[in-house]
Amino acid sequence: MLHNRTDLLPHYETLRALAADPDRFFENEIGRDLGVDGLNVLLAVSSDDFTLALETFHASYDFDPDSKTSCLHALHRFTLDAARIGEFELYQSLAIGMTWLSLQEETHASFFNRPLRIPNHSAALLLSPTYQAIWVQSYNAGITLSPEVQPHLQNFHHSMAQVMLFHDLYPRVLGESSAEDATAFTHMETSISCLDELIQSEIMAVRADLHLIRDSYLAHSSCPEYGRFRYEVMQNLHTPVSRRSLALYRKHFVLRAEDEDCHLPNNRLKRHLLALHELPDEEIEILREPFARSLHDQKTHASWAKKAALRNRIPSYRAVIELLPHETYCLQKFQECLHPDAWTDAVTLLSSETLPELDATRRRRNQQRWKWRDSLYRIAELRGFLETEAGDRNSLVQSRLLAFADQAATVLREQDDENCANHEAFSRMFASCLAEISAPELRRRAMKLFEHPFSYLLEPR
């Protein structure tokens, strides 16, 4: 469709008509995505300006019209080149890209368990190659987020990256002790948080005064003083502090937390990471105050990490998780995140110089696989619950649950599409065995756990 002006121009004129009434524009799903920057683009770029920009794009950029990833990549290059010329030229390029994205089914392909739009999503796809890469990979991987994740841009790519990079590691035993595991989980979280600054820096490199920056990285930050500070750092207003300094400081001082709930016991991995992520005293002094509240919030992940590390060692729980082999990609990403200069761009983040084609069939297949993986985690949690609460490791219910877990693991290992589609029947049978728990209160709590997973041992990520 990108190669056909007769398709794009009428739709652009429809969007312009919608933008004539800003209140109506922001109540519309497309308007909620395009945001203030999109409104400004639509008000500033006439239909003739749009046509001229489209002609410039086709004359200067090669792409495969049958590949949506290729089209998106070309639009990104067009946007960067236009921004170097001037603000209006940037608006023209955004007009082309935003219009095209608003016509693509994949742009908002049910990334949440309820209908939600991600504000500034299309602009971020056009401006940030890292955001674009996370979106494409997450789409194909079939990732869907729970309603607990707020649909702000920052929360969206943060949670997508967590699942994409580390989903196989969170439920596992990784090190020699629970302290090492808790350290690993905490460091994984801070590493993901550093992607916020990477994506923000890519967008700011195009233009630093876009509303996208304010709306997604300042206004919705739980720590606005840190949001303002990192914005200034990326404008080189706090030398010698840099974006690298922000990452090193976060990773180092979250691990050093002394609060009772957040303190990570001394262990080999903690010592290794602290030594790798050191900063000069001069930079620490500049960072300490604006980072204080943000760092406090980050430290709370250590409390979750310690609980998760203990949960993962419950024998009945662990027996289920270990039915699945490790995913080498997640292990690779974990090894990478240990380095202080990990993931400087989209290529190093995803270990690929090219993005795959958006594949709706692959997404649907992987969404089915996530259902089976979710069931396997539920079974692990239920078995851990029964062992912890009732000392029950060898009952008939535990044995049946383990058999169900083995069935789920087999479907996942063999990637059997036919059996994968039978998840609903499997879920009913798996739930029915909980009725065999003899103690009424234990049975009631187990059924509640089945209906509301991750509420007892496996807390929401």
Side-chain angles (χ1 to χ4, degrees):
M1 185 171 287
L2 184 54
H3 65 285
N4 191 340
R5 187 175 72 186
T6 59
D7 290 325
L8 282 183
L9 183 57
H11 188 63
Y12 181 69
E13 290 173 339
T14 299
L15 294 179
R16 287 202 81 208
L18 184 65
D21 181 348
D23 290 338
R24 188 164 66 97
F25 179 76
F26 290 122
E27 289 173 359
N28 183 276
E29 287 189 355
I30 293 176
R32 286 197 293 272
D33 163 27
L34 300 185
V36 177
D37 290 315
L39 179 66
N40 290 341
V41 165
L42 291 165
L43 294 177
V45 179
S46 70
S47 297
D48 288 343
D49 296 325
F50 181 91
T51 300
L52 286 172
L54 190 58
E55 291 173 351
T56 299
F57 175 72
H58 284 297
S60 306
Y61 298 87
D62 294 326
F63 61 92
D64 178 357
D66 295 322
S67 166
K68 294 186 179 182
T69 302
S70 175
C71 293
L72 183 57
H73 184 61
L75 286 166
H76 169 67
R77 289 185 284 116
F78 180 41
T79 303
L80 264 59
D81 292 342
R84 296 187 187 101
I85 301 172
E87 182 178 19
F88 183 72
E89 288 77 9
L90 170 62
Y91 277 18
Q92 283 182 292
S93 66
L94 287 173
I96 304 296
M98 288 175 168
T99 303
W100 180 77
L101 282 168
S102 71
L103 291 167
Q104 309 312 309
E105 181 181 355
E106 296 89 347
T107 304
H108 303 279
S110 303
F111 284 104
F112 292 88
N113 292 339
R114 54 188 171 95
L116 292 171
R117 286 282 177 133
I118 308 153
N120 298 304
H121 177 57
S122 291
L125 286 175
L126 295 167
L127 297 170
S128 167
T130 298
Y131 183 85
Q132 185 184 117
I134 291 172
W135 173 70
V136 170
Q137 294 281 52
S138 299
Y139 175 87
N140 285 346
I143 297 173
T144 303
L145 301 175
S146 67
E148 286 81 7
V149 176
Q150 294 299 311
H152 298 311
L153 187 77
Q154 192 173 357
N155 303 75
F156 173 72
H157 67 69
H158 180 101
S159 297
M160 283 290 185
Q162 278 183 318
V163 178
M164 182 177 67
L165 300 175
F166 296 136
H167 68 270
D168 188 55
L169 304 184
Y170 289 114
R172 293 193 184 269
V173 170
L174 301 179
E176 296 178 355
S177 65
S178 62
E180 279 193 14
D181 287 0
T183 300
F185 296 150
T186 303
H187 184 74
M188 285 153 57
E189 169 61 27
T190 54
S191 298
I192 293 291
S193 295
C194 293
L195 296 178
D196 295 353
E197 277 89 49
L198 173 57
I199 292 172
Q200 183 180 343
S201 69
E202 291 173 345
I203 296 170
M204 288 180 63
V206 181
R207 191 169 181 89
D209 62 354
L210 291 168
H211 287 272
L212 161 60
I213 299 295
R214 186 196 67 191
D215 294 346
S216 300
Y217 294 95
L218 296 175
H220 292 303
S221 171
S222 59
C223 309
E225 68 283 357
Y226 174 65
R228 288 190 298 271
F229 177 76
R230 71 176 175 186
Y231 179 83
E232 293 167 357
V233 167
M234 291 176 207
Q235 292 182 307
N236 299 314
L237 299 180
H238 291 284
T239 55
V241 170
S242 63
R243 181 164 61 84
R244 184 176 189 270
S245 307
L246 300 178
L248 292 177
Y249 188 91
R250 175 189 284 117
K251 293 176 182 179
H252 186 94
F253 284 94
V254 166
L255 292 179
R256 280 188 55 180
E258 295 300 327
D259 321 54
E260 182 178 352
D261 289 343
C262 306
H263 173 68
L264 294 167
N266 183 36
N267 63 82
R268 177 187 55 83
L269 180 60
K270 180 178 176 179
R271 293 191 298 272
H272 174 70
L273 290 171
L274 287 174
L276 282 177
H277 295 78
E278 290 185 334
L279 270 174
D281 290 343
E282 177 189 6
E283 295 187 38
I284 291 173
E285 285 303 311
I286 298 172
L287 289 160
R288 179 175 285 116
E289 183 176 348
F291 233 121
R293 189 146 62 109
S294 173
L295 199 66
H296 177 270
D297 289 352
Q298 287 258 294
K299 288 175 183 176
T300 60
H301 289 91
S303 176
W304 170 86
K306 290 194 290 185
K307 295 175 185 176
L310 293 174
R311 170 206 69 204
N312 294 357
R313 282 178 159 71
I314 299 172
S316 297
Y317 176 95
R318 187 173 180 179
V320 171
I321 300 300
E322 292 185 349
L323 290 171
L324 280 178
H326 278 282
E327 292 197 11
T328 56
Y329 182 77
C330 293
L331 286 170
Q332 175 191 340
K333 291 296 134 184
F334 173 65
Q335 290 299 323
E336 291 174 3
C337 84
L338 300 179
H339 193 279
D341 292 307
W343 307 337
T344 55
D345 54 28
V347 173
T348 55
L349 176 65
L350 298 180
S351 304
S352 175
E353 294 187 3
T354 58
L355 290 179
E357 180 54 37
L358 292 165
D359 188 334
T361 300
R362 182 178 171 190
R363 176 170 175 80
R364 287 192 294 271
R365 185 189 310 121
N366 282 330
Q367 284 178 318
Q368 287 293 328
R369 288 176 57 77
W370 280 113
K371 290 180 181 179
W372 286 90
R373 185 176 285 271
D374 176 69
S375 288
L376 189 137
Y377 290 159
R378 289 195 195 196
I379 293 169
E381 186 181 28
L382 283 162
R383 294 186 86 242
F385 165 77
L386 292 172
E387 178 178 342
T388 304
E389 295 296 303
D392 179 356
R393 294 180 60 179
N394 302 301
S395 70
L396 179 61
V397 171
Q398 283 280 39
S399 298
R400 288 195 64 195
L401 285 173
L402 188 59
F404 279 118
D406 186 59
Q407 182 180 345
T410 299
V411 171
L412 288 167
R413 283 195 305 268
E414 296 180 354
Q415 301 190 32
D416 185 333
D417 288 347
E418 183 176 348
N419 282 332
C420 214
N422 295 327
H423 177 266
E424 188 174 340
F426 168 83
S427 186
R428 287 195 301 268
M429 290 188 295
F430 149 42
S432 68
C433 81
L434 299 182
E436 299 175 16
I437 298 174
S438 57
E441 179 61 17
L442 199 65
R443 182 172 62 249
R444 183 191 67 79
R445 292 175 64 192
M447 292 298 294
K448 183 178 179 181
L449 192 61
F450 172 78
E451 294 165 2
H452 304 282
F454 316 140
S455 57
Y456 176 68
L457 294 171
L458 186 57
E459 297 178 3
R461 290 196 294 273

